[in-house]
């Protein structure tokens, strides 16, 4: 490959690369191409490695942009790759490693060039880069009947769905998925949602449409399998003692153009980077899946990838799918559930879980039927518990997932039957034994309190309180600490209410002729009273539906009974306070009858007996509290930027943004 290259900065001086990007056309039959794509390299799987490589490619790609209209060398490179993809599946079956190696190298070069192209030119101009070609080698008839860009897209999808995932194919499958992400990345350079475009049209219609369900299924299985990147020691071109042609080809370039990037070959930094992203194919597949699912619908057709995600079924489902589900397929739900439980530490896995719960009724029904819901709920609670370390969108997705789950009464009952021991990550108090339901209540209340003191986001309050309200009628055997925290939250709200009320009163007295500051206090007071009303309804729902199951809540209520006195005659709470007054009065009387200086155990005994004796008809019935999540507050102009922000932050897929333009503006509302 010409002079050896020991540094990334030397790439621009490499003889073969200079010929590729130069003005002279190179015939597709020229031996040059075999020499160009015969180099030893493993695809970079960390942001640091990717950035080094891609920044080195920028000057070469810009030169190619200038010369390609005359040389057509980029389209020739694409054709060289396409010529090898036709035999990849057979090559894999025959363990033809040389063929796979060269195809991977060609695709890697195409991907790196495309990343510069997408930044430097419009989609229409990119399309033209595929149409420039050596006039002597291609007839006019062939030119007019072929769209090389669509051919590349179609072949990449065929490669992903047909080539099995093995150690020798891992890198080329990773490159195929990443190249599709690069081709879709024009959204990164536009603040508005792109509803049309050449690549969009090819993926939504044309030759790619028939592969929709197979692509979605393969990407899901890539996520499910969680295959680690093969270690460098298993590289197919490790030196062999017996030598031979295969080793001769590889060893000739081992210290050349790309060897500086070989994983593990550049010292500990590469090894450390790989530890941060040990599952590059799984991660990239999930990102591509989310990008495809969140592509907008066409003017007269729905997004087929979203259709496939919303209607796929369990492999154990033997019923016939509805006729309208043209892109349906079957997948192992048990394996999918396991992967979802294990991967919730990442934003994209949480977003996938949200998408499936919200849009795929088959998946939602299956998940809600599981008897090991703690495996899924605990990672979601862990996200909320460490809210300070998470971005707001990850927290929102976790909360919405809880809200969707709590819409199901069976879920709300079952979580109180699951007993957990020694929750190590909950540090406020030692929890040696607690039900999953009580832990959920504790974490949600902690999130509310964090929001009250830090972010002050009304929507976060709404989602948290809605989840608690959905659960309230099925509260069972609340942990003593959970019952205390419910009342403590009410105490905090009461204190805040009094403070704002006092500020409003003082403002009114000080500005008798000018009430300009009053509306702000009035609005704050209104919001706080809405939250207090919700908390009272949650407590009331528990007392009306499961009082005899929750002596600890009654105990906490009696212990802090003075908190509720100020709201007894308040017009906003008077109706709901009747039941609380009834309960407080009933149990207070029974405790007085039991004598003075009662021990805690004796008080609890009186409460438990009293709970059985309190006539249910003494409590006024209120409509059942039920909140259902709807996506009205999360339209595509939220999700599309959110998904691309995940791709952007992943580092491996894409990292460029135009100078002076923000990636996206995504406020917490």
């Amino acid at each position: 490959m010409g002079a050896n290259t020991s540094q990334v900065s030397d790439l621009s001086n490499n003889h073969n690369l200079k010929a590729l990007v130069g003005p002279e056309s190179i015939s597709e039959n020229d031996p040059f191409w075999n020499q160009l794509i015969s180099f030893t390299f493993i695809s970079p799987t960390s942001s640091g490695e990717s950035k080094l490589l891609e920044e080195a490619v920028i000057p070469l790609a810009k030169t190619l942009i200038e010369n390609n209209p005359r040389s057509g060398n980029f389209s020739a490179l694409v054709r060289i790759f396409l010529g090898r993809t036709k035999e990849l599946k057979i090559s894999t079956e025959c363990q033809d490693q040389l063929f796979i190696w060269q195809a991977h190298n060609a695709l890697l070069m195409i991907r790196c060039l495309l990343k510069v192209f997408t930044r430097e030119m419009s989609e229409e101009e990119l399309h033209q880069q595929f149409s420039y070609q050596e006039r002597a080698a291609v007839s006019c008839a062939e030119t007019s009947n072929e769209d090389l860009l669509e051919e590349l897209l179609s072949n990449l999808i065929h490669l992903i769905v047909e080539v099995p995932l093995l150690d020798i194919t891992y890198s080329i499958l990773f490159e195929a998925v990443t190249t599709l992400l690069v081709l879709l990345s024009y959204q990164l350079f536009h603040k508005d949602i792109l509803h049309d475009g050449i690549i969009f049209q090819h993926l939504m219609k044309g030759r790619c449409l028939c592969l929709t369900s197979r692509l979605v299924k393969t990407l899901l299985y890539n996520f499910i399998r969680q295959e680690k990147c093969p270690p460098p020691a298993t590289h197919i071109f490790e030196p062999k003692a017996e030598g031979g042609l295969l080793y001769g080809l590889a060893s000739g370039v081992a210290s050349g153009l790309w060897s500086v990037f070989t994983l593990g070959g550049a010292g500990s930094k590469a090894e450390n980077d790989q530890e941060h992203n040990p599952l590059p194919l799984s991660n990239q597949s999930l990102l591509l899946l989310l990008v495809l699912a969140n592509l907008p619908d066409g003017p007269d057709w729905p997004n087929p990838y979203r259709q496939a995600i919303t209607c796929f079924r369990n492999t154990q489902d033997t019923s016939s799918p509805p006729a309208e589900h043209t892109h349906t397929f079957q997948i192992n739900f048990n394996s999918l559930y396991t992967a979802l439980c294990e991967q919730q530490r990442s934003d994209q896995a949480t977003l996938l879980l949200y998408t499936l719960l919200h849009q795929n009724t088959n998946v939602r029904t299956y998940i809600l039927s599981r008897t090991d819901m703690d495996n899924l709920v605990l990672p979601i609670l862990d996200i909320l518990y460490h809210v300070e370390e998470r971005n707001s969108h990850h927290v929102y997705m976790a909360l919405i997932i809880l809200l969707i789950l709590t819409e199901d009464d069976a879920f709300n009952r079952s979580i109180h039957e699951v007993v957990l021991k020694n929750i190590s990550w909950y540090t406020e108090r030692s929890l040696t034994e607690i039900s999953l339901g009580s832990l959920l209540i504790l974490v949600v209340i902690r999130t509310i309190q964090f929001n009250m003191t830090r972010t002050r986001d009304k929507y976060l309050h709404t989602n948290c309180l809605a989840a608690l309200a959905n659960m309230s009628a099925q509260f069972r055997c609340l942990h003593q600490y959970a019952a205390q925290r419910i009342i403590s939250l009410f105490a905090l709200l009461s204190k805040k209410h009094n403070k704002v009320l006092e500020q409003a009163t003082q403002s009114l007295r000080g500005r008798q002729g000018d009430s300009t500051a009053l509306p702000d206090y009035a609005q704050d007071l209104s919001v706080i009273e809405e939250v207090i009303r919700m908390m009272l309804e949650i407590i009331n729902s528990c007392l009306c539906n499961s009082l005899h199951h929750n002596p600890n809540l009654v105990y906490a209520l009696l212990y802090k009974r003075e908190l509720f006195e100020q709201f007894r005659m308040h017009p906003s709470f008077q109706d709901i306070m009747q039941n609380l007054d009834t309960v407080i009065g009933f149990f207070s009387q029974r405790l007085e009858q039991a004598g003075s200086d009662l021990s805690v155990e004796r008080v609890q005994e009186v409460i438990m007996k009293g709970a059985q004796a309190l006539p249910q008809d003494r409590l006024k019935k209120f409509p059942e509290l039920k909140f259902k999540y709807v996506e009205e507050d999360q339209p595509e102009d939220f999700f599309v930027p959110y998904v691309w922000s995940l791709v952007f932050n992943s580092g491996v897929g894409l990292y460029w943004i135009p100078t002076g333009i923000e990636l996206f503006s995504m406020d917490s509302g």
Side-chain angles (χ1 to χ4, degrees):
M1 288 195 64
N4 287 345
T5 304
S6 59
Q7 296 182 10
V8 179
S9 57
D10 295 334
L11 290 183
S12 58
N13 298 320
N14 182 269
H15 173 72
N16 285 334
L17 288 180
K18 289 173 70 174
L20 172 68
V21 304
E24 299 298 323
S25 295
I26 305 173
S27 169
E28 293 172 32
N29 299 320
D30 195 304
F32 164 85
W33 296 105
N34 269 333
Q35 189 178 14
L36 177 71
I37 62 176
S38 295
F39 54 82
T40 302
F41 178 70
I42 299 175
S43 299
T45 57
S46 72
S47 58
E49 293 167 348
S50 294
K51 192 169 184 178
L52 282 173
L53 172 60
E54 291 151 7
E55 286 181 346
V57 169
I58 291 175
L60 294 166
K62 287 185 175 180
T63 303
L64 182 60
I65 291 172
E66 294 178 6
N67 293 326
N68 193 47
R70 294 189 298 277
S71 70
N73 286 341
F74 177 71
S75 57
L77 175 61
V78 173
R79 291 178 190 280
I80 293 297
F81 167 69
L82 294 178
R84 282 161 170 74
T85 60
K86 294 183 175 75
E87 305 297 331
L88 270 178
K89 189 174 182 181
I90 297 175
S91 299
T92 304
E93 294 171 353
C94 300
Q95 295 288 301
D96 187 348
Q97 299 173 344
L98 176 62
F99 201 89
I100 299 169
W101 174 51
Q102 291 187 325
H104 162 267
N105 291 347
L107 182 55
L108 171 65
M109 297 178 75
I110 292 169
R111 191 257 288 184
C112 290
L113 292 169
L114 283 174
K115 288 184 76 168
V116 185
F117 288 1
T118 55
R119 186 186 70 167
E120 297 291 329
M121 63 185 70
S122 67
E123 232 179 325
E124 291 73 18
E125 292 169 330
L126 174 70
H127 195 215
Q128 290 179 352
Q129 294 293 329
F130 282 86
S131 62
Y132 300 133
Q133 50 205 301
E134 188 181 1
R135 299 296 184 264
V138 183
S139 69
C140 295
E142 288 175 319
T143 302
S144 60
N145 292 330
E146 183 186 57
D147 187 325
L148 193 59
L149 175 56
E150 183 177 19
E151 181 80 9
L152 177 62
L153 284 166
S154 177
N155 273 264
L156 288 173
I157 295 175
H158 271 286
L159 192 163
I160 293 169
V161 302
E162 291 181 354
V163 174
L165 176 54
L166 307 170
D167 278 0
I168 61 174
T169 62
Y170 192 101
S171 291
I172 193 168
L173 289 171
F174 171 81
E175 281 300 330
V177 171
T178 305
T179 304
L180 282 177
L181 272 173
V182 170
L183 286 167
L184 285 162
S185 67
Y186 275 102
Q187 183 64 72
L188 275 172
F189 308 101
H190 294 80
K191 287 190 174 182
D192 297 326
I193 306 303
L194 296 179
H195 289 84
D196 206 347
I198 298 169
I199 296 169
F200 176 86
Q201 294 281 341
H202 286 325
L203 286 172
M204 292 292 185
K205 301 191 292 186
R207 296 169 57 184
C208 297
L209 182 62
C210 63
L211 296 170
T212 295
S213 59
R214 292 182 65 192
L215 177 60
V216 172
K217 181 177 182 178
T218 302
L219 294 175
L220 272 175
Y221 267 125
N222 286 349
F223 166 71
I224 289 170
R225 290 178 63 176
Q226 299 289 310
E227 290 286 347
K228 293 185 177 181
C229 184
T234 64
H235 193 264
I236 58 178
F237 296 109
E238 285 296 301
K240 295 179 174 59
E242 65 272 18
L245 175 62
L246 187 63
Y247 172 57
L249 282 171
S251 62
V253 296
S255 61
L257 179 63
W258 306 100
S259 60
V260 69
F261 294 109
T262 302
L263 291 180
S268 60
K269 183 180 185 300
E271 295 171 357
N272 292 337
D273 281 343
Q274 193 178 5
E275 288 177 3
H276 294 306
N277 186 19
L279 308 168
L281 178 60
S282 172
N283 185 58
Q284 293 293 85
S285 296
L286 179 52
L287 290 172
L288 177 58
L289 182 66
L290 292 171
V291 168
L292 292 171
N294 285 280
L295 290 175
D297 293 332
D300 54 359
W301 69 88
N303 177 348
Y305 304 96
R306 187 182 301 128
Q307 283 187 317
I309 285 176
T310 59
C311 68
F312 70 83
R313 300 176 300 133
N314 195 353
T315 49
Q316 297 179 353
D317 186 355
T318 58
S319 62
S320 299
E324 67 271 15
H325 292 170
T326 55
H327 299 292
T328 190
F329 59 89
Q330 290 184 297
I331 203 167
N332 188 309
F333 277 17
N334 183 59
S335 300
L336 176 61
Y337 180 78
T338 301
L340 288 169
C341 293
E342 293 174 348
Q343 298 300 315
Q344 288 308 303
R345 62 184 176 275
S346 73
D347 288 64
Q348 48 265 38
T350 304
L351 181 55
L352 176 64
L353 175 58
Y354 157 78
T355 301
L356 296 178
L357 278 173
H358 180 53
Q359 298 183 4
N360 190 312
T361 55
N362 301 320
V363 173
R364 182 168 65 251
T365 301
Y366 175 84
I367 288 178
L368 288 170
S369 70
R370 297 282 303 204
T371 57
D372 58 347
M373 282 296 295
D374 52 308
N375 290 336
L376 184 68
V377 175
L378 282 174
I380 298 298
L381 296 182
D382 188 80
I383 294 169
L384 296 178
Y385 186 79
H386 296 97
V387 59
E388 301 95 335
E389 304 167 15
R390 306 289 182 177
N391 67 68
S392 60
H393 310 297
H394 200 180
V395 173
Y396 265 110
M397 290 298 104
L399 274 176
I400 294 170
I401 287 168
L402 286 184
L403 181 55
I404 293 173
L405 293 174
T406 59
E407 292 171 16
D408 184 75
D409 286 342
F411 169 83
N412 295 330
R413 287 190 296 270
S414 65
I415 56 175
H416 292 287
E417 298 169 359
V418 178
V419 178
L420 308 169
K421 295 183 183 296
N422 299 318
I423 307 300
S424 58
W425 48 261
Y426 193 95
T427 57
E428 272 83 351
R429 176 167 171 163
S430 176
L431 299 175
T432 55
E433 186 171 290
I434 189 172
S435 71
L436 179 60
S438 289
L439 181 63
L440 194 158
I441 293 168
L442 285 174
V443 173
V444 171
I445 288 176
R446 184 179 184 274
T447 306
I448 294 173
Q449 292 180 324
F450 173 83
N451 184 51
M452 288 177 64
T453 57
R454 303 283 186 88
T455 56
R456 299 182 181 180
D457 186 333
K458 179 181 176 181
Y459 295 97
L460 199 66
H461 273 336
T462 301
N463 285 332
C464 289
L465 291 170
L468 290 177
N470 284 345
M471 296 169 57
S472 59
Q474 277 81 36
F475 283 172
R476 294 290 188 276
C477 302
L478 288 181
H479 190 278
Q480 180 183 6
Y481 186 51
Q484 290 174 5
R485 298 304 294 161
I486 291 173
I487 304 303
S488 295
L489 176 58
F490 186 85
L492 182 63
L493 292 168
S494 175
K495 183 178 179 181
K496 193 171 184 64
H497 177 271
N498 292 340
K499 182 178 179 180
V500 174
L501 187 60
E502 182 181 352
Q503 289 173 337
T505 303
Q506 291 177 352
S507 177
L508 185 61
R509 288 172 181 169
R511 297 170 177 253
Q512 293 184 0
D514 180 10
S515 60
T516 54
L518 190 58
D520 291 337
Y521 288 121
Q523 184 178 5
D524 289 346
L525 202 61
S526 175
V527 171
I528 293 172
E529 288 182 354
E530 284 181 16
V531 177
I532 288 176
R533 172 78 190 192
M534 279 282 289
M535 284 301 302
L536 288 172
E537 289 183 340
I538 289 167
I539 296 170
N540 178 70
S541 176
C542 176
L543 296 178
C544 289
N545 292 281
S546 54
L547 182 146
H548 58 289
H549 289 299
N550 292 290
N552 285 330
L553 182 61
V554 176
Y555 184 97
L557 192 65
L558 293 172
Y559 190 74
K560 294 288 187 178
R561 71 188 80 177
E562 70 280 358
L563 286 173
F564 302 90
E565 291 178 1
Q566 61 178 307
F567 300 109
R568 182 176 293 116
M569 302 308 295
H570 195 292
S572 298
F573 315 121
Q574 197 169 9
D575 58 337
I576 202 93
M577 280 299 302
Q578 292 179 15
N579 281 347
L580 272 72
D581 278 343
T582 299
V583 171
I584 291 172
F586 176 82
F587 284 98
S588 296
Q589 183 180 11
R590 293 185 72 94
L591 287 173
E592 289 175 3
Q593 293 172 354
S596 59
D597 297 328
L598 300 177
S599 65
V600 173
E601 292 76 13
R602 176 58 180 152
V603 171
Q604 290 176 332
E605 181 184 345
V606 171
I607 290 173
M608 293 180 69
K609 289 182 178 179
Q612 303 294 331
L614 177 64
Q616 287 295 309
D617 56 8
R618 288 185 59 180
L619 300 179
K620 179 183 176 182
K621 293 296 182 182
F622 286 83
E624 184 179 0
L625 290 176
K626 270 299 172 185
F627 293 86
K628 183 176 178 61
Y629 170 73
V630 292
E631 205 172 272
E632 291 175 354
D633 292 329
Q634 314 288 356
E636 69 176 18
D637 60 357
F638 171 88
F639 279 106
V640 174
Y642 178 40
V643 171
W644 277 107
S645 74
L646 299 182
V647 177
F648 174 85
N649 290 324
S650 72
V652 177
L654 302 152
Y655 67 89
W656 281 323
I657 54 175
T659 303
I661 299 178
E662 294 180 3
L663 177 62
F664 281 104
S665 177
M666 295 185 293
D667 58 42
S668 59

